[in-house]
């Protein structure tokens, strides 16, 4: 075969892996790859971002949406460190992703050359939370091997991010090797005795509860889980920010186990005598700070099904630990039948009733009724719309009041960071819209938006459309809420002086509008859905409306009363 530059071979290997879009900020350290994108421009697109954090978030969102690695390219030190937030999010969210980093030339390594970083030390597995694997490609003939292994590593076991480092002198060498075939994930499954033990434990239970979540669910896996839950009349809750795993409209849905947890659901988890965790890690957010289930040995019996053997029995000692992909696990569960009438039907009905009651909003101050706004979003968004958010109290409105149809309808619809990373929603919505062509809806806070709002320029450049609802309360709301609880009336470091966000959106090429009353929202949303270009709807929200369960005033009064209580 004809020789080609190593930079071109990398792009050809990506095409062979089914990649048709990558995200990044250009750098002189990987000019050879950029030239490869030009050579293969009819097969793959390089999306130019405005900041590497936004690029990494877009790649992470595509990985989360598709179950195959999203791909990001950045340059050495500054670019790689900027992209690290997206890498950390992919790790905590168990999202398949590959980050390519252009590096200093081989003959300059280990001299603290311009922008040099030891990426193995910075991103490696020993950092406990940045990447599954970090490798440098020094020999261009091994590029196909490294790229295929990166994709396999990113998808298999617990999915996550992989880093490939590219010395710039390697990229211009010529080679005559071919790409490896497309890598598909392996699907570990139940051992027969494990399935029998699970069935026996279910038959012995009185108050079982399923918690479903984690990454890489398919439509068929979600359907199989629903068939299993229906056959056994099991209440099903979704893990933190995996609310689209099980259909929220289903009569056995019990709510989401995450931030702002319904107190009644929290009690149900504690009162359960059998937790069947299908997919989630049971991390800090899903376990409410490791309090819903005691570590290392929960009071409840625990069946934990997870794609990574290393994750099982790491935090919680399970009564039954099953190493399986969600595809194989759900398929096996769907074959189980109870045989007799289960004794917990009323328990399941009560779990669902608690969820329904929790969606009834309480009165809050100001001219903006956020539950009513979420109801308008629910009414008008198409069922396959992508909903994205970053981190902040603003996300709680969607978590509590929006109902996800679930993968049973055919598409993943929630893209949100379990890592609690700010600035995720805007680039995630844009990247997912570019990759899928589906309607992308983002809810953002004022502080959250300003971390990656520059990616509106990326959206306009490539014709991507997203609808952003920006809640402007002039504060870092989550921090303000914690301050008022711990240090009432002593506000410090959480007030924001903001730009006119609607005008800023207009300057980027979006349509920007500002509303101050609830009645103004629905017509603006309908108009945004109808127009071809993206829209930002700035919602002026009273800072006292700080949480879906109360106000700054009530939080402050409770804290002051607690402080003034006689000892």
């Amino acid at each position: 075969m004809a020789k080609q530059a190593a930079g071109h071979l990398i792009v050809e290997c990506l095409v062979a892996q089914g990649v048709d879009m990558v995200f990044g900020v250009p750098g002189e350290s990987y000019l050879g790859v950029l030239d490869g994108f030009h050579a293969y421009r009819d097969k793959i697109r390089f999306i130019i971002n405005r900041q590497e954090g936004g690029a990494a978030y877009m790649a992470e969102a595509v990985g989360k949406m598709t179950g195959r690695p999203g791909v990001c390219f950045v340059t050495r030190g500054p670019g790689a460190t900027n992209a690290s937030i997206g890498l950390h999010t992919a790790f905590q969210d168990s999202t398949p992703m590959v980050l390519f980093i252009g590096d200093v030339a081989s003959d300059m390594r280990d001299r603290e050359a311009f922008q040099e970083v030891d990426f193995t030390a910075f991103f490696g597995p020993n950092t406990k939370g940045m990447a599954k694997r970090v490798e440098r490609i020094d020999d261009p003939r091994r590029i196909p091997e490294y790229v295929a292994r990166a994709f396999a590593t990113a998808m298999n076991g617990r999915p996550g991010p992989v880093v490939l480092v590219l010395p710039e002198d390697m990229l211009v060498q010529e080679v005559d090797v071919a790409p490896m075939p497309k890598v598909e994930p392996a699907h570990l499954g139940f051992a027969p005795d494990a399935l029998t033990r699970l069935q026996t434990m279910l038959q012995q239970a009185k108050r079982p509860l399923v918690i479903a979540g984690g990454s890489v669910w398919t439509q068929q896996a979600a359907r199989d889980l629903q068939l299993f839950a229906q056959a056994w009349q099991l209440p099903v809750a979704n893990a933190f920010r995996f609310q689209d795993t099980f259909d929220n409209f289903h009569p056995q849905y019990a709510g989401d186990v995450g931030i702002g947890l319904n107190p009644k659901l929290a009690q149900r988890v504690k009162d359960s005598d059998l937790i069947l965790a299908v997919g989630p890690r049971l991390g800090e957010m899903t376990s409410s700070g490791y309090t819903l289930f005691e570590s290392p040995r929960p009071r409840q019996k625990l069946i934990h099904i997870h794609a990574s053997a290393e994750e099982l029995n790491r935090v919680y000692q399970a009564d039954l630990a099953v190493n399986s992909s969600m595809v194989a696990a759900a398929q096996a569960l769907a074959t189980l039948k109870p045989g007799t009438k289960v004794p917990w039907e009323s328990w399941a009905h009560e779990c669902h009733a608690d969820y329904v009651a929790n969606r009834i909003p309480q009165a809050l101050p100001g001219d903006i009724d956020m539950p009513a706004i979420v109801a308008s979003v629910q009414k008008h968004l198409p069922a396959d719309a992508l909903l994205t958010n970053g981190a902040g109290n603003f996300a709680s409105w969607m978590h509590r009041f929006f109902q996800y149809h679930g993968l049973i309808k055919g598409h993943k619809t929630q893209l949100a960071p379990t890592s609690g990373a700010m600035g995720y929603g805007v680039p995630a919505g844009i990247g997912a819209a570019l990759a899928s062509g589906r309607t992308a809806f983002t809810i953002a806070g004022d502080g959250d938006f300003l971390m990656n709002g520059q990616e509106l320029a990326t959206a306009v450049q490539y014709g991507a459309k997203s609808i952003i609802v920006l809640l402007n309360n002039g504060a870092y709301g989550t921090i303000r809420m914690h301050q008022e609880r711990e240090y009432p009336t002593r506000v410090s470091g959480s007030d924001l002086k903001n730009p006119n966000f609607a005008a800023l959106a207009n300057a980027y090429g979006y349509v920007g509008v500002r509303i101050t009353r609830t009645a103004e929202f629905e017509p603006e949303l309908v108009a945004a859905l109808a127009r071809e270009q993206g829209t930002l709807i700035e919602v002026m929200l009273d800072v006292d409306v700080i949480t879906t369960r109360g106000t700054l005033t009530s939080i402050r009064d409770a804290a002051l009363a607690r402080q003034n209580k006689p000892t």
Side-chain angles (χ1 to χ4, degrees), residues 262-521:
N262 179 1
K264 289 186 177 180
L265 178 55
Q267 193 60 48
R268 295 280 181 190
V269 175
K270 292 178 180 179
D271 290 344
S272 173
D273 62 353
L274 176 64
I275 297 293
L276 176 52
V278 188
R281 291 190 296 119
L282 300 178
E284 180 182 350
M285 293 298 117
T286 298
S287 66
S288 292
Y290 308 103
T291 62
L292 297 182
F293 331 97
E294 293 179 359
S295 176
R297 186 71 175 175
R299 295 187 307 274
Q300 312 93 326
K301 286 189 176 180
L302 174 63
I303 299 171
H304 195 182
I305 304 172
H306 198 273
S308 171
E310 293 180 354
E311 194 62 38
L312 295 167
N313 296 320
R314 184 168 72 93
V315 178
Y316 293 106
Q317 289 292 315
D319 295 272
L320 175 60
V322 180
N323 183 201
S324 174
S325 71
M326 295 309 100
V327 171
Q331 184 179 39
L333 291 173
T335 66
L336 292 183
K337 305 301 176 187
T340 59
K341 184 178 175 65
V342 298
W344 55 74
E345 282 192 28
S346 60
W347 160 264
H349 291 319
E350 290 164 5
C351 287
H352 180 68
D354 291 344
Y355 163 69
V356 173
N358 188 55
R359 297 188 66 251
I360 300 172
Q362 69 269 38
L364 293 172
D367 296 324
I368 295 293
D369 181 350
M370 280 306 301
I373 283 179
V374 174
S376 293
V377 174
Q378 186 87 64
K379 175 182 176 182
H380 292 288
L381 281 190
D384 70 343
L386 293 153
L387 292 98
T388 75
N389 62 264
N393 269 359
F394 62 86
S396 297
W397 300 108
M398 297 297 291
H399 290 349
R400 180 175 174 185
F401 295 109
F402 190 85
Q403 290 181 285
Y404 292 85
H405 289 281
L407 291 178
I408 202 73
K409 299 293 182 181
H411 297 278
K412 182 162 182 61
T413 51
Q414 186 184 37
L415 304 177
T418 68
S419 66
M422 292 181 68
Y424 178 90
V426 171
I430 293 166
L434 278 168
S436 70
R438 290 155 57 192
T439 299
F441 174 89
T442 298
I443 186 166
D446 42 358
D448 178 75
F449 177 86
L450 284 172
M451 291 199 174
N452 272 311
Q454 76 283 342
E455 298 303 336
L456 294 191
T458 304
V460 172
Q461 179 170 344
Y462 294 100
K465 171 185 173 179
S466 66
I467 298 170
I468 300 167
V469 172
L470 190 157
L471 306 187
N472 183 355
N473 65 358
Y476 283 123
T478 301
I479 307 308
R480 182 70 174 274
M481 179 185 72
H482 290 312
Q483 272 185 336
E484 294 293 356
R485 186 185 63 241
E486 303 296 334
Y487 304 98
T489 75
R490 297 173 64 82
V491 177
S492 176
S494 56
D495 285 335
L496 296 175
K497 176 65 175 177
N498 286 320
N500 182 323
F501 288 106
L504 182 61
N506 283 322
Y508 275 117
Y510 264 47
V511 171
V513 295
R514 172 182 283 183
I515 69 165
T516 57
R517 295 182 299 111
T518 305
E520 298 169 340
F521 179 78

Side-chain angles (χ1 to χ4, degrees), residues 123-328:
F123 289 124
N126 289 335
T127 60
K128 297 182 180 178
M130 291 293 273
K132 291 183 70 176
R133 194 180 190 103
V134 181
E135 295 187 328
R136 179 190 306 277
I137 308 177
D138 289 311
D139 182 353
R141 294 185 58 83
R142 297 183 65 188
I143 285 172
E145 171 194 345
Y146 278 101
V147 172
R149 181 163 62 230
F151 274 70
T153 303
M155 290 188 289
N156 285 320
R158 175 184 167 185
V162 174
V163 175
L164 288 181
V165 181
L166 313 173
E168 61 179 312
D169 56 326
M170 180 274 295
L171 294 175
V172 297
Q173 297 178 38
E174 292 200 338
V175 288
D176 58 356
V177 294
M180 300 279 285
K182 185 177 181 180
V183 175
E184 298 293 347
H187 292 298
L188 292 171
F190 268 83
D193 63 323
L195 196 59
T196 301
R197 286 182 60 196
L198 184 148
Q199 185 171 23
T200 300
M201 291 174 71
L202 265 178
Q203 290 169 336
Q204 294 172 346
K206 302 297 182 186
R207 297 177 305 280
L209 178 67
V210 176
I211 300 178
S215 62
V216 194
W217 282 82
T218 65
Q219 180 180 356
Q220 186 58 53
R223 182 178 288 113
D224 285 340
L225 177 66
Q226 182 168 308
L227 290 173
F228 165 68
Q230 288 172 175
W232 288 82
Q233 289 297 298
L234 291 164
V236 180
N238 286 331
F240 175 54
R241 288 184 172 162
F242 292 105
Q243 286 173 254
D244 59 354
T245 307
F246 190 85
D247 187 356
N248 298 184
F249 293 90
H250 197 281
Q252 286 162 236
Y253 183 59
D256 67 296
V257 187
I259 292 177
L261 175 62
N262 179 1
K264 289 186 177 180
L265 178 55
Q267 193 60 48
R268 295 280 181 190
V269 175
K270 292 178 180 179
D271 290 344
S272 173
D273 62 353
L274 176 64
I275 297 293
L276 176 52
V278 188
R281 291 190 296 119
L282 300 178
E284 180 182 350
M285 293 298 117
T286 298
S287 66
S288 292
Y290 308 103
T291 62
L292 297 182
F293 331 97
E294 293 179 359
S295 176
R297 186 71 175 175
R299 295 187 307 274
Q300 312 93 326
K301 286 189 176 180
L302 174 63
I303 299 171
H304 195 182
I305 304 172
H306 198 273
S308 171
E310 293 180 354
E311 194 62 38
L312 295 167
N313 296 320
R314 184 168 72 93
V315 178
Y316 293 106
Q317 289 292 315
D319 295 272
L320 175 60
V322 180
N323 183 201
S324 174
S325 71
M326 295 309 100
V327 171

Side-chain angles (χ1 to χ4, degrees), residues 61-84:
V62 170
K64 187 175 268 138
M65 180 178 66
T66 65
R68 291 192 65 84
V71 178
C72 180
F73 277 82
V74 298
T75 196
R76 43 210 178 201
T81 50
N82 278 344
S84 64

